[in-house]
Amino acid sequence: WEHHATTEDAVVPDGVELLSERLRAEGFHTGAFVANGFVSDRFGFRQGWGLFRNYVREGRRNQARFVAADVLEWLDARPTDRGFFLYVHTIDPHVPYSPPREDLERYDAEPYEGPVDFGRDRALLESVKSGALRLGARDRVRLEALYDGEITYHDRHFASVMEGLERRGLADDTIVVFTADHGEEFWDHGSVGHGHSVFEELIRVPLIVRWPGVTDAGADGAARIDAPVGLVDVMPTVLDALGLPIPETLSGRSLAPLLRGALEDAPPLTLAGFMDGWRAIVVGRLKLVQRTPARWMLYDLAVDPGETTDLAAERPLAVRYLRGLLGLGLAAAERPPADRTFEAARTAIDLDLDVTPTEL
């Protein structure tokens, strides 16, 4: 929100300092390998990289196995007299779901001849979302199996990068942050895919930090943090872990104390949103979702992680409390201090921005 980059054609403003820029200024060797057409120079993401490779924009094969192979080559060619910052953005668990057969058969080995076939219809998921295509129970099993197969395929090649760090003697010197931009819905709230709500199946994404000496087995750090955190916390956490100062104007907070096993003084809060409609706040176990200015939903994630029971009518004081915190949080994000105000920028959308994986 503070960057005014909330629409499909929005560009990250030049005034936004990316982590790549900050670390390059600190002497790090930087490289990015990106299989998503939107995370490209066209949208302001080229800043701060020694090497920036966008597989879609450059017409390269963009499956995880090709990305992982390029990453390992980059590690071998890097200068060894300074640290490196590597950003790897794969996109295999994304429509159209088309995993290798062996990965699909781990989840659905039964014969299938129904309509769920992205090889015949790349826009199949949109037809399901719109109601133009109705799927039966067997079709739903197939659809989820395709998605799970994509994740397994991706995990195998992510493992090859982690093993590559080990073989090169870099694992004990490298912080690894593994995360995602969104999840996928499979009829949790009546729809499929993503880009339509802020329920947990879409916004509760993995965030795994491997910090040698802190998160190792047997270290004093926390193995799992249950407190709600946000992706906005990643940059201050990395800077803190590297011993670099965190700008006062930077949004988010360092998670380093939590990773070291510290306890929170008070329940933390996180904000989420989608485009100019949905907004949500999580404080402790409670989550408030705003659909419209007059439509609020309240969930207790500790007993109802699937967000099936709206408690807003039963707990008006909790709704009022969370609405106040949401308002304060949005005010800080949408109307930042004058010294970090950014101009909105837009770019043209073209066919080269197709973010879907090419044929395996």
Side-chain angles (χ1 to χ4, degrees):
W1 294 303
E2 68 188 67
H3 300 158
H4 304 290
T6 59
T7 58
E8 192 175 61
D9 61 347
V11 176
V12 177
D14 289 339
V16 176
E17 183 184 50
L18 303 185
L19 182 57
S20 52
E21 294 178 283
R22 176 67 186 279
L23 295 186
R24 191 176 189 185
E26 294 287 344
F28 282 72
H29 182 57
T30 60
F33 296 82
V34 182
N36 184 316
F38 283 96
V39 183
S40 66
D41 55 345
R42 178 72 66 84
F43 294 92
F45 291 101
R46 180 64 180 85
Q47 306 172 58
W49 300 105
L51 172 69
F52 186 87
R53 175 169 297 169
N54 187 284
Y55 289 77
V56 175
R57 300 293 292 178
E58 298 174 21
R60 297 173 180 264
R61 293 177 294 184
N62 66 339
Q63 294 81 27
R65 66 187 176 109
F66 299 112
V67 177
D70 290 346
V71 165
L72 296 177
E73 285 187 12
W74 184 86
L75 286 172
D76 287 334
R78 80 193 192 287
T80 57
D81 59 346
R82 53 189 173 127
F84 66 86
F85 174 45
L86 171 63
Y87 177 73
V88 184
H89 186 148
T90 49
I91 200 170
D92 300 275
H94 196 288
V95 289
Y97 310 143
S98 55
R101 177 168 294 278
E102 61 269 25
D103 294 321
L104 170 61
E105 290 181 348
R106 291 185 59 167
Y107 304 98
D108 183 14
E110 299 299 317
Y112 178 79
E113 297 185 4
V116 179
D117 182 347
F118 287 93
R120 293 199 306 256
D121 182 6
R122 292 171 66 89
L124 184 147
L125 211 61
E126 290 304 313
S127 299
V128 177
K129 289 182 74 166
S130 68
L133 175 61
R134 297 189 179 278
L135 301 183
R138 177 69 184 92
D139 303 320
R140 293 186 176 196
V141 168
R142 188 66 167 192
L143 185 64
E144 292 196 49
L146 286 167
Y147 179 64
D148 289 342
E150 288 274 33
I151 294 172
T152 293
Y153 166 79
H154 169 273
D155 284 353
R156 185 163 60 252
H157 294 290
F158 174 68
S160 73
V161 174
M162 297 297 290
E163 291 162 1
L165 293 174
E166 293 279 358
R167 289 195 302 272
R168 289 160 177 79
L170 299 171
D172 292 340
D173 251 352
T174 303
I175 298 169
V176 178
V177 179
F178 177 90
T179 190
D181 54 346
H182 60 77
E184 294 281 82
E185 178 181 354
F186 290 95
W187 295 279
D188 304 75
H189 288 90
S191 188
V192 293
H194 62 271
H196 53 264
S197 81
V198 290
F199 290 116
E200 292 294 278
E201 59 267 15
L202 297 190
I203 69 170
R204 188 179 177 87
V205 298
L207 178 55
I208 302 171
V209 179
R210 182 185 183 277
W211 181 359
V214 175
T215 62
D216 304 340
D220 294 332
R224 182 181 181 89
I225 297 171
D226 293 324
V229 300
L231 295 183
V232 71
D233 300 324
V234 170
M235 183 168 175
T237 300
V238 170
L239 293 177
D240 197 2
L242 293 173
L244 298 174
I246 302 171
E248 291 184 3
T249 56
L250 186 63
S251 298
R253 61 189 177 122
S254 171
L255 303 178
L258 293 181
L259 291 168
R260 292 190 177 103
L263 299 177
E264 295 276 15
D265 294 330
L269 62 86
T270 56
L271 301 176
F274 175 66
M275 304 297 277
D276 293 322
W278 296 83
R279 296 290 183 265
I281 183 171
V282 177
V283 181
R285 60 192 287 169
L286 294 179
K287 177 178 178 180
L288 184 72
V289 177
Q290 177 188 359
R291 182 65 185 94
T292 69
R295 176 76 171 101
W296 301 85
M297 294 163 275
L298 178 69
Y299 301 98
D300 184 340
L301 298 178
V303 297
D304 182 25
E307 296 162 294
T308 59
T309 303
D310 180 7
L311 302 174
E314 300 174 23
R315 304 180 65 177
L317 292 181
V319 171
R320 179 177 295 184
Y321 169 67
L322 292 175
R323 282 183 65 174
L325 290 178
L326 178 62
L328 290 172
L330 292 178
E334 295 175 345
R335 293 185 294 277
D339 63 349
R340 56 184 180 122
T341 298
F342 303 108
E343 294 289 334
R346 300 285 183 268
T347 190
I349 302 295
D350 60 38
L351 295 178
D352 290 336
L353 294 173
D354 180 11
V355 300
T356 56
T358 51
E359 295 288 333
L360 284 168

